[in-house]
Coordinates of all heavy atoms in Angstrom, one line a residue:
M1 N 3.5 -43.3 -15.0 CA 3.2 -42.7 -16.3 C 4.5 -42.7 -17.0 O 5.5 -42.3 -16.6 CB 2.6 -41.3 -16.1 CG 2.4 -40.6 -17.4 SD 1.7 -39.0 -17.2 CE 0.1 -39.3 -16.6
T2 N 4.5 -43.2 -18.2 CA 5.7 -43.2 -19.1 C 5.9 -41.8 -19.7 O 5.0 -41.0 -19.7 CB 5.6 -44.2 -20.2 OG1 4.6 -43.8 -21.1 CG2 5.3 -45.6 -19.6
Q3 N 7.1 -41.6 -20.3 CA 7.3 -40.4 -21.0 C 6.4 -40.2 -22.2 O 5.8 -39.1 -22.5 CB 8.8 -40.3 -21.5 CG 9.7 -40.2 -20.4 CD 11.2 -40.2 -20.8 OE1 11.5 -40.7 -21.9 NE2 12.1 -39.8 -20.0
L4 N 6.1 -41.3 -22.8 CA 5.2 -41.3 -24.0 C 3.7 -41.0 -23.5 O 3.1 -40.2 -24.2 CB 5.2 -42.6 -24.7 CG 4.2 -42.8 -25.9 CD1 4.6 -41.7 -27.0 CD2 4.3 -44.1 -26.5
D5 N 3.3 -41.5 -22.4 CA 2.0 -41.2 -21.9 C 1.8 -39.7 -21.6 O 0.9 -39.1 -22.0 CB 1.7 -42.0 -20.6 CG 1.6 -43.5 -20.8 OD1 1.3 -43.9 -21.9 OD2 1.8 -44.3 -19.8
L6 N 2.9 -39.2 -20.9 CA 2.9 -37.8 -20.6 C 2.8 -36.9 -21.9 O 2.1 -35.9 -22.0 CB 4.0 -37.4 -19.7 CG 4.1 -36.0 -19.3 CD1 2.8 -35.5 -18.6 CD2 5.3 -35.7 -18.4
A7 N 3.7 -37.3 -22.8 CA 3.8 -36.5 -24.1 C 2.5 -36.5 -24.8 O 2.0 -35.4 -25.2 CB 4.8 -37.1 -25.0
V8 N 1.8 -37.6 -24.8 CA 0.5 -37.6 -25.5 C -0.5 -36.8 -24.7 O -1.3 -36.0 -25.3 CB 0.0 -39.1 -25.6 CG1 -1.5 -39.2 -26.0 CG2 0.9 -39.9 -26.6
K9 N -0.5 -37.0 -23.4 CA -1.5 -36.3 -22.6 C -1.3 -34.8 -22.6 O -2.3 -34.0 -22.5 CB -1.3 -36.7 -21.1 CG -2.5 -36.3 -20.2 CD -2.4 -37.0 -18.9 CE -3.7 -36.6 -18.1 NZ -3.7 -37.3 -16.8
C10 N -0.1 -34.3 -22.8 CA 0.1 -32.8 -22.9 C 0.4 -32.3 -24.3 O 0.9 -31.2 -24.5 CB 1.1 -32.3 -21.9 SG 2.7 -33.1 -21.9
D11 N 0.2 -33.1 -25.3 CA 0.4 -32.8 -26.7 C 1.9 -32.3 -27.0 O 2.0 -31.2 -27.6 CB -0.6 -31.7 -27.1 CG -0.7 -31.6 -28.6 OD1 -0.5 -32.6 -29.4 OD2 -1.0 -30.5 -29.1
L12 N 2.8 -33.0 -26.5 CA 4.2 -32.7 -26.8 C 4.9 -33.9 -27.3 O 4.3 -35.0 -27.2 CB 4.9 -32.3 -25.5 CG 4.4 -31.0 -24.8 CD1 5.0 -30.8 -23.4 CD2 4.8 -29.8 -25.7
S13 N 6.1 -33.8 -27.8 CA 6.8 -35.0 -28.3 C 7.5 -35.7 -27.1 O 7.8 -35.1 -26.1 CB 7.9 -34.6 -29.3 OG 9.0 -33.9 -28.6
E14 N 7.6 -37.0 -27.3 CA 8.3 -37.8 -26.3 C 9.7 -37.4 -26.1 O 10.2 -37.3 -25.0 CB 8.2 -39.3 -26.7 CG 8.8 -40.2 -25.7 CD 8.7 -41.7 -26.1 OE1 8.4 -42.0 -27.3 OE2 9.0 -42.6 -25.2
A15 N 10.4 -36.9 -27.2 CA 11.7 -36.4 -27.1 C 11.8 -35.2 -26.2 O 12.8 -35.0 -25.4 CB 12.3 -36.1 -28.5
M16 N 10.8 -34.3 -26.3 CA 10.8 -33.1 -25.5 C 10.7 -33.5 -24.1 O 11.4 -32.9 -23.2 CB 9.7 -32.2 -25.9 CG 9.6 -31.0 -24.9 SD 8.9 -29.5 -25.4 CE 9.6 -29.1 -27.0
I17 N 9.8 -34.4 -23.7 CA 9.6 -34.8 -22.3 C 10.9 -35.4 -21.8 O 11.4 -35.1 -20.7 CB 8.4 -35.8 -22.2 CG1 7.1 -35.2 -22.6 CG2 8.4 -36.4 -20.8 CD1 6.7 -34.0 -21.8
K18 N 11.5 -36.3 -22.6 CA 12.8 -36.9 -22.3 C 13.9 -35.9 -22.0 O 14.6 -35.9 -21.0 CB 13.3 -37.9 -23.3 CG 14.6 -38.6 -23.0 CD 15.0 -39.5 -24.2 CE 16.2 -40.2 -23.8 NZ 16.6 -41.2 -24.8
N19 N 14.0 -34.9 -22.9 CA 15.1 -33.9 -22.7 C 14.8 -33.0 -21.5 O 15.8 -32.6 -20.8 CB 15.1 -33.0 -24.0 CG 15.8 -33.7 -25.1 OD1 16.6 -34.6 -24.9 ND2 15.4 -33.3 -26.3
I20 N 13.6 -32.7 -21.2 CA 13.3 -32.0 -20.0 C 13.6 -32.8 -18.8 O 14.3 -32.3 -17.8 CB 11.8 -31.5 -20.0 CG1 11.5 -30.5 -21.1 CG2 11.4 -31.0 -18.6 CD1 10.1 -30.2 -21.3
E21 N 13.2 -34.0 -18.8 CA 13.5 -34.9 -17.6 C 15.0 -35.1 -17.4 O 15.4 -35.2 -16.2 CB 12.8 -36.3 -17.8 CG 12.9 -37.2 -16.6 CD 12.1 -38.5 -16.8 OE1 11.2 -38.5 -17.6 OE2 12.4 -39.4 -16.0
L22 N 15.7 -35.2 -18.4 CA 17.2 -35.3 -18.3 C 17.9 -34.0 -18.2 O 19.2 -34.0 -18.2 CB 17.7 -36.1 -19.5 CG 17.2 -37.6 -19.6 CD1 17.6 -38.2 -20.9 CD2 17.6 -38.4 -18.5
C23 N 17.2 -32.9 -18.0 CA 17.8 -31.6 -17.9 C 18.7 -31.2 -19.1 O 19.6 -30.4 -19.0 CB 18.6 -31.5 -16.6 SG 17.7 -31.7 -15.1
R24 N 18.3 -31.7 -20.3 CA 19.0 -31.3 -21.5 C 18.4 -30.0 -22.1 O 19.0 -29.3 -22.9 CB 18.9 -32.4 -22.5 CG 19.7 -33.6 -22.2 CD 19.6 -34.6 -23.3 NE 20.3 -35.9 -22.9 CZ 20.1 -37.0 -23.3 NH1 19.0 -37.2 -24.2 NH2 20.7 -38.1 -22.9
S25 N 17.1 -29.8 -21.7 CA 16.5 -28.5 -22.1 C 15.5 -28.1 -21.0 O 15.1 -28.9 -20.1 CB 15.8 -28.7 -23.4 OG 14.7 -29.6 -23.2
W26 N 15.2 -26.8 -21.0 CA 14.3 -26.2 -20.1 C 13.0 -25.9 -20.8 O 13.0 -25.3 -21.8 CB 14.9 -24.9 -19.5 CG 14.2 -24.3 -18.4 CD1 13.4 -23.2 -18.5 CD2 14.0 -24.8 -17.0 NE1 12.8 -22.9 -17.3 CE2 13.2 -23.9 -16.4 CE3 14.5 -25.9 -16.3 CZ2 12.8 -24.1 -15.0 CZ3 14.2 -26.0 -15.0 CH2 13.3 -25.1 -14.4
P27 N 11.9 -26.2 -20.1 CA 10.6 -26.0 -20.8 C 10.2 -24.5 -20.8 O 10.5 -23.8 -19.9 CB 9.6 -26.8 -20.0 CG 10.2 -26.8 -18.6 CD 11.7 -26.9 -18.9
S28 N 9.6 -24.1 -21.9 CA 9.1 -22.7 -22.0 C 7.9 -22.6 -21.0 O 7.4 -23.6 -20.5 CB 8.6 -22.4 -23.4 OG 7.5 -23.2 -23.7
E29 N 7.4 -21.4 -20.8 CA 6.2 -21.2 -20.0 C 5.0 -22.0 -20.5 O 4.3 -22.7 -19.7 CB 5.8 -19.7 -20.0 CG 5.9 -19.1 -18.6 CD 5.5 -17.6 -18.7 OE1 4.3 -17.3 -18.8 OE2 6.5 -16.8 -18.7
K30 N 4.8 -22.0 -21.8 CA 3.7 -22.7 -22.4 C 3.8 -24.2 -22.2 O 2.9 -24.9 -21.8 CB 3.6 -22.4 -23.9 CG 2.5 -23.1 -24.6 CD 2.5 -22.8 -26.1 CE 1.4 -23.6 -26.7 NZ 1.5 -23.6 -28.2
T31 N 5.1 -24.7 -22.4 CA 5.3 -26.1 -22.2 C 5.1 -26.6 -20.8 O 4.5 -27.6 -20.5 CB 6.7 -26.5 -22.7 OG1 6.8 -26.2 -24.1 CG2 7.0 -28.0 -22.5
L32 N 5.7 -25.8 -19.9 CA 5.5 -26.0 -18.4 C 4.0 -26.1 -18.1 O 3.6 -26.9 -17.3 CB 6.2 -25.0 -17.6 CG 6.4 -25.3 -16.1 CD1 7.1 -26.7 -15.9 CD2 7.3 -24.2 -15.5
S33 N 3.3 -25.2 -18.6 CA 1.8 -25.1 -18.4 C 1.1 -26.3 -18.9 O 0.3 -26.9 -18.2 CB 1.2 -23.8 -19.0 OG -0.2 -23.8 -18.8
Q34 N 1.5 -26.8 -20.1 CA 0.9 -28.0 -20.6 C 1.2 -29.2 -19.7 O 0.3 -30.0 -19.5 CB 1.5 -28.3 -22.0 CG 0.9 -27.3 -23.1 CD 1.7 -27.5 -24.4 OE1 2.6 -26.8 -24.7 NE2 1.2 -28.4 -25.2
I35 N 2.4 -29.3 -19.2 CA 2.8 -30.4 -18.4 C 2.1 -30.4 -17.1 O 1.5 -31.4 -16.6 CB 4.3 -30.5 -18.2 CG1 5.0 -30.8 -19.6 CG2 4.7 -31.5 -17.2 CD1 6.5 -30.6 -19.5
T36 N 2.0 -29.2 -16.5 CA 1.3 -29.2 -15.1 C -0.2 -29.4 -15.3 O -0.7 -30.1 -14.4 CB 1.6 -27.8 -14.5 OG1 1.1 -26.7 -15.3 CG2 3.0 -27.6 -14.1
K37 N -0.8 -29.0 -16.4 CA -2.2 -29.3 -16.6 C -2.4 -30.8 -16.8 O -3.3 -31.4 -16.3 CB -2.7 -28.5 -17.8 CG -3.0 -27.0 -17.5 CD -3.5 -26.3 -18.7 CE -3.6 -24.8 -18.3 NZ -4.0 -24.0 -19.5
A38 N -1.5 -31.4 -17.6 CA -1.6 -32.8 -17.8 C -1.5 -33.7 -16.6 O -2.1 -34.7 -16.4 CB -0.6 -33.3 -18.9
L39 N -0.6 -33.2 -15.6 CA -0.4 -33.9 -14.4 C -1.3 -33.4 -13.3 O -1.3 -34.0 -12.2 CB 1.1 -33.7 -14.0 CG 2.1 -34.3 -14.9 CD1 3.5 -33.9 -14.4 CD2 2.0 -35.8 -14.9
D40 N -2.0 -32.4 -13.5 CA -3.0 -31.8 -12.5 C -2.3 -31.5 -11.2 O -2.7 -31.8 -10.2 CB -4.1 -32.8 -12.3 CG -5.3 -32.1 -11.5 OD1 -5.5 -30.9 -11.7 OD2 -6.0 -32.8 -10.7
V41 N -1.2 -30.7 -11.4 CA -0.4 -30.1 -10.3 C -0.2 -28.7 -10.4 O -0.2 -28.2 -11.6 CB 0.9 -30.9 -10.1 CG1 0.8 -32.3 -9.7 CG2 1.8 -30.7 -11.2
D42 N 0.0 -28.0 -9.3 CA 0.4 -26.5 -9.4 C 1.8 -26.4 -9.8 O 2.7 -27.2 -9.3 CB 0.2 -25.9 -8.0 CG -1.3 -25.8 -7.7 OD1 -2.1 -25.5 -8.6 OD2 -1.6 -25.9 -6.5
V43 N 2.2 -25.5 -10.6 CA 3.5 -25.3 -11.1 C 4.6 -25.2 -10.0 O 5.6 -25.7 -10.2 CB 3.6 -24.2 -12.2 CG1 3.5 -22.9 -11.6 CG2 4.8 -24.3 -13.0
Y44 N 4.2 -24.5 -9.0 CA 5.2 -24.2 -7.9 C 5.7 -25.5 -7.3 O 6.8 -25.6 -6.8 CB 4.6 -23.3 -6.8 CG 3.7 -24.0 -5.9 CD1 4.1 -24.5 -4.7 CD2 2.3 -24.0 -6.1 CE1 3.3 -25.1 -3.8 CE2 1.5 -24.6 -5.2 CZ 1.9 -25.2 -4.1 OH 1.1 -25.8 -3.2
K45 N 4.9 -26.6 -7.4 CA 5.4 -27.9 -6.8 C 6.6 -28.4 -7.5 O 7.3 -29.2 -6.9 CB 4.2 -28.9 -6.7 CG 3.2 -28.5 -5.7 CD 2.1 -29.5 -5.6 CE 1.1 -29.1 -4.5 NZ 0.0 -30.0 -4.4
F46 N 6.7 -28.1 -8.8 CA 7.9 -28.5 -9.5 C 9.2 -28.0 -9.0 O 10.3 -28.5 -9.2 CB 7.8 -28.1 -11.0 CG 6.9 -29.0 -11.8 CD1 6.0 -29.9 -11.3 CD2 7.0 -28.9 -13.2 CE1 5.2 -30.7 -12.1 CE2 6.2 -29.7 -14.0 CZ 5.3 -30.6 -13.4
F47 N 9.1 -26.9 -8.2 CA 10.3 -26.2 -7.8 C 10.6 -26.4 -6.3 O 11.5 -25.8 -5.8 CB 10.2 -24.7 -8.1 CG 10.1 -24.5 -9.6 CD1 8.8 -24.3 -10.2 CD2 11.2 -24.6 -10.4 CE1 8.7 -24.1 -11.5 CE2 11.0 -24.4 -11.8 CZ 9.8 -24.1 -12.3
L48 N 9.8 -27.3 -5.7 CA 10.0 -27.6 -4.3 C 11.1 -28.7 -4.1 O 11.2 -29.6 -5.0 CB 8.7 -28.1 -3.6 CG 7.6 -27.1 -3.5 CD1 6.3 -27.7 -3.1 CD2 8.0 -25.9 -2.7
P49 N 11.9 -28.6 -3.0 CA 12.8 -29.8 -2.8 C 12.0 -31.1 -2.7 O 10.9 -31.1 -2.3 CB 13.4 -29.4 -1.4 CG 13.1 -28.0 -1.2 CD 11.9 -27.7 -2.0
L50 N 12.7 -32.2 -3.1 CA 12.0 -33.4 -3.1 C 11.6 -33.9 -1.8 O 10.5 -34.6 -1.6 CB 12.9 -34.5 -3.8 CG 13.1 -34.3 -5.3 CD1 14.1 -35.4 -5.7 CD2 11.9 -34.4 -6.1
A51 N 12.3 -33.6 -0.7 CA 12.0 -34.1 0.6 C 11.0 -33.2 1.4 O 10.8 -33.5 2.5 CB 13.3 -34.3 1.4
I52 N 10.4 -32.3 0.7 CA 9.5 -31.4 1.5 C 8.3 -32.1 1.9 O 7.7 -32.9 1.3 CB 9.2 -30.1 0.6 CG1 8.6 -29.1 1.5 CG2 8.2 -30.5 -0.5 CD1 8.6 -27.7 0.8
D53 N 7.8 -31.6 3.0 CA 6.5 -32.1 3.6 C 5.4 -31.3 2.8 O 5.3 -30.1 2.9 CB 6.4 -31.8 5.1 CG 5.1 -32.2 5.7 OD1 4.2 -32.7 5.0 OD2 5.0 -32.0 7.0
F54 N 4.5 -32.0 2.1 CA 3.6 -31.3 1.3 C 2.5 -30.6 2.1 O 1.8 -29.8 1.5 CB 3.0 -32.3 0.2 CG 3.9 -32.5 -0.9 CD1 4.6 -33.6 -1.0 CD2 4.0 -31.5 -1.9 CE1 5.5 -33.8 -2.1 CE2 4.9 -31.7 -3.0 CZ 5.6 -32.9 -3.1
E55 N 2.4 -30.8 3.4 CA 1.5 -30.1 4.2 C 2.1 -28.6 4.4 O 1.4 -27.7 4.5 CB 1.4 -30.7 5.6 CG 0.5 -32.0 5.5 CD 0.4 -32.7 6.8 OE1 0.7 -32.1 7.9 OE2 -0.1 -33.8 6.8
K56 N 3.4 -28.5 4.3 CA 4.1 -27.2 4.4 C 4.1 -26.5 3.0 O 4.4 -25.3 3.0 CB 5.5 -27.3 4.9 CG 5.5 -27.8 6.3 CD 7.0 -27.9 6.8 CE 7.0 -28.4 8.2 NZ 8.4 -28.4 8.7
A57 N 3.7 -27.2 2.0 CA 3.8 -26.6 0.7 C 2.8 -25.4 0.5 O 3.2 -24.4 -0.1 CB 3.4 -27.6 -0.4
S58 N 1.7 -25.5 1.2 CA 0.7 -24.3 1.1 C 1.3 -23.1 1.8 O 1.2 -22.0 1.3 CB -0.6 -24.7 1.8 OG -1.2 -25.7 1.1
E59 N 2.0 -23.3 2.9 CA 2.7 -22.3 3.6 C 3.8 -21.6 2.7 O 3.9 -20.4 2.6 CB 3.4 -22.7 4.9 CG 2.4 -23.2 6.0 CD 3.1 -23.9 7.1 OE1 4.3 -23.5 7.4 OE2 2.5 -24.7 7.8
I60 N 4.5 -22.4 2.0 CA 5.6 -22.0 1.1 C 4.9 -21.2 0.0 O 5.4 -20.1 -0.4 CB 6.4 -23.1 0.6 CG1 7.2 -23.7 1.8 CG2 7.3 -22.7 -0.5 CD1 7.9 -25.0 1.4
K61 N 3.9 -21.7 -0.6 CA 3.2 -21.0 -1.7 C 2.7 -19.6 -1.3 O 2.9 -18.7 -1.9 CB 2.0 -21.8 -2.1 CG 1.2 -21.2 -3.3 CD 0.0 -22.1 -3.7 CE -0.8 -21.5 -4.8 NZ -1.9 -22.2 -5.1
L62 N 2.1 -19.6 -0.1 CA 1.7 -18.2 0.4 C 2.8 -17.3 0.7 O 2.8 -16.1 0.4 CB 0.8 -18.4 1.7 CG -0.5 -19.1 1.5 CD1 -1.2 -19.3 2.9 CD2 -1.4 -18.2 0.6
S63 N 3.9 -17.8 1.2 CA 5.1 -17.0 1.4 C 5.7 -16.5 0.1 O 6.0 -15.3 0.0 CB 6.1 -17.9 2.2 OG 7.3 -17.1 2.3
V64 N 5.8 -17.3 -0.9 CA 6.2 -16.9 -2.2 C 5.3 -15.9 -2.8 O 5.8 -14.8 -3.3 CB 6.4 -18.1 -3.1 CG1 6.7 -17.7 -4.6 CG2 7.6 -19.0 -2.7
Q65 N 4.0 -16.1 -2.7 CA 3.0 -15.1 -3.2 C 3.2 -13.8 -2.5 O 3.2 -12.7 -3.2 CB 1.6 -15.6 -3.0 CG 1.2 -16.7 -4.0 CD -0.1 -17.3 -3.7 OE1 -0.7 -17.2 -2.6 NE2 -0.8 -17.9 -4.7
D66 N 3.4 -13.8 -1.2 CA 3.6 -12.6 -0.4 C 4.8 -11.8 -0.9 O 4.8 -10.6 -1.1 CB 3.7 -12.8 1.1 CG 2.3 -13.2 1.7 OD1 1.3 -13.0 1.1 OD2 2.4 -13.8 2.8
E67 N 5.9 -12.5 -1.2 CA 7.1 -11.9 -1.6 C 7.0 -11.3 -3.0 O 7.5 -10.2 -3.3 CB 8.3 -12.9 -1.6 CG 8.7 -13.3 -0.2 CD 9.2 -12.0 0.6 OE1 9.9 -11.2 0.1 OE2 8.8 -11.9 1.8
V68 N 6.2 -12.0 -3.8 CA 6.0 -11.5 -5.2 C 5.2 -10.2 -5.1 O 5.5 -9.2 -5.8 CB 5.3 -12.6 -6.1 CG1 4.8 -11.9 -7.4 CG2 6.3 -13.7 -6.4
V69 N 4.1 -10.2 -4.3 CA 3.3 -9.0 -4.2 C 4.1 -7.9 -3.6 O 4.0 -6.7 -4.1 CB 2.0 -9.3 -3.3 CG1 1.3 -8.1 -2.9 CG2 1.1 -10.3 -4.0
K70 N 4.9 -8.1 -2.6 CA 5.7 -7.0 -2.0 C 6.7 -6.5 -3.1 O 6.8 -5.2 -3.2 CB 6.6 -7.6 -0.9 CG 5.8 -7.8 0.4 CD 6.7 -8.4 1.5 CE 5.9 -8.9 2.6 NZ 6.8 -9.6 3.6
S71 N 7.3 -7.3 -3.9 CA 8.2 -6.9 -4.9 C 7.5 -6.1 -6.0 O 8.0 -5.0 -6.4 CB 8.9 -8.0 -5.6 OG 9.7 -8.7 -4.7
L72 N 6.3 -6.5 -6.4 CA 5.5 -5.7 -7.3 C 5.1 -4.4 -6.8 O 5.1 -3.4 -7.5 CB 4.3 -6.5 -7.8 CG 4.5 -7.7 -8.7 CD1 3.3 -8.5 -8.9 CD2 5.0 -7.2 -10.1
R73 N 4.6 -4.4 -5.5 CA 4.3 -3.1 -4.9 C 5.4 -2.1 -4.9 O 5.3 -0.9 -5.2 CB 3.7 -3.3 -3.6 CG 2.3 -3.9 -3.5 CD 1.7 -3.9 -2.2 NE 0.3 -4.4 -2.2 CZ -0.2 -5.3 -1.3 NH1 0.6 -5.6 -0.3 NH2 -1.4 -5.7 -1.5
K74 N 6.6 -2.6 -4.5 CA 7.8 -1.8 -4.5 C 8.1 -1.2 -5.8 O 8.4 -0.1 -6.0 CB 8.9 -2.6 -3.9 CG 10.2 -1.8 -3.8 CD 11.4 -2.6 -3.2 CE 12.6 -1.8 -3.2 NZ 13.8 -2.6 -2.8
F75 N 8.0 -2.1 -6.8 CA 8.4 -1.6 -8.2 C 7.4 -0.6 -8.7 O 7.7 0.5 -9.2 CB 8.3 -2.9 -9.2 CG 8.4 -2.5 -10.6 CD1 9.7 -2.3 -11.1 CD2 7.3 -2.4 -11.4 CE1 9.8 -1.9 -12.5 CE2 7.4 -2.1 -12.8 CZ 8.7 -1.9 -13.3
V76 N 6.1 -0.8 -8.4 CA 5.1 0.1 -8.9 C 5.2 1.5 -8.1 O 5.2 2.5 -8.7 CB 3.6 -0.4 -8.7 CG1 2.6 0.6 -8.8 CG2 3.4 -1.6 -9.6
D77 N 5.5 1.4 -6.8 CA 5.7 2.6 -6.0 C 6.9 3.4 -6.5 O 6.8 4.6 -6.6 CB 5.9 2.3 -4.5 CG 4.6 1.9 -3.9 OD1 3.5 2.1 -4.4 OD2 4.7 1.3 -2.7
E78 N 8.0 2.7 -6.9 CA 9.2 3.4 -7.4 C 8.8 4.1 -8.7 O 9.2 5.2 -8.9 CB 10.3 2.4 -7.6 CG 10.9 1.9 -6.2 CD 11.9 0.8 -6.4 OE1 12.2 0.3 -7.5 OE2 12.5 0.4 -5.4
K79 N 8.1 3.4 -9.6 CA 7.7 4.0 -10.9 C 6.8 5.2 -10.7 O 7.0 6.2 -11.4 CB 7.1 2.9 -11.8 CG 8.0 1.8 -12.3 CD 9.2 2.5 -13.0 CE 10.2 1.4 -13.4 NZ 11.4 2.0 -14.1
L80 N 5.9 5.0 -9.8 CA 5.0 6.2 -9.5 C 5.7 7.4 -9.0 O 5.5 8.5 -9.4 CB 3.8 5.7 -8.6 CG 2.8 4.8 -9.2 CD1 1.8 4.3 -8.2 CD2 2.0 5.5 -10.3
N81 N 6.6 7.1 -8.1 CA 7.4 8.2 -7.5 C 8.3 8.9 -8.5 O 8.5 10.1 -8.5 CB 8.3 7.7 -6.3 CG 7.5 7.4 -5.1 OD1 6.5 7.9 -4.9 ND2 8.0 6.5 -4.3
S82 N 8.8 8.1 -9.4 CA 9.7 8.7 -10.5 C 8.9 9.6 -11.4 O 9.3 10.5 -11.9 CB 10.4 7.6 -11.3 OG 9.6 6.8 -12.1
L83 N 7.6 9.1 -11.7 CA 6.7 9.9 -12.5 C 6.3 11.3 -11.8 O 6.2 12.3 -12.5 CB 5.4 9.2 -12.8 CG 5.6 8.0 -13.8 CD1 4.3 7.2 -13.9 CD2 6.1 8.5 -15.2
E84 N 6.1 11.2 -10.5 CA 5.8 12.4 -9.7 C 6.9 13.4 -9.7 O 6.7 14.6 -9.7 CB 5.3 12.0 -8.4 CG 4.0 11.2 -8.3 CD 3.6 10.7 -6.9 OE1 4.4 10.9 -6.0 OE2 2.6 10.1 -6.8
L85 N 8.1 12.9 -9.6 CA 9.3 13.7 -9.5 C 9.7 14.3 -10.9 O 10.3 15.4 -10.9 CB 10.5 12.9 -9.0 CG 10.4 12.4 -7.5 CD1 11.5 11.6 -7.2 CD2 10.2 13.6 -6.5
G86 N 9.3 13.6 -11.9 CA 9.7 14.0 -13.3 C 8.8 15.1 -13.9 O 8.7 16.2 -13.9

């Protein structure tokens, strides 16, 4: 797929796709979402090392999700505790 093909498919400019690919700019959440939808891939796959075994990608995804949930629970617990003490 060319940069122009991707740009058309996700309704972005070819220049934006080029700048992202060349690391001249970082996509916003919205832009990243448009690109992942156009490519029909999960966003987390963009952040995996290139040499990763994609069979392990599911394990990594679950591990990351677990860590996010743990962090959110800790944050909520701390906020609730601070409200109870206050």
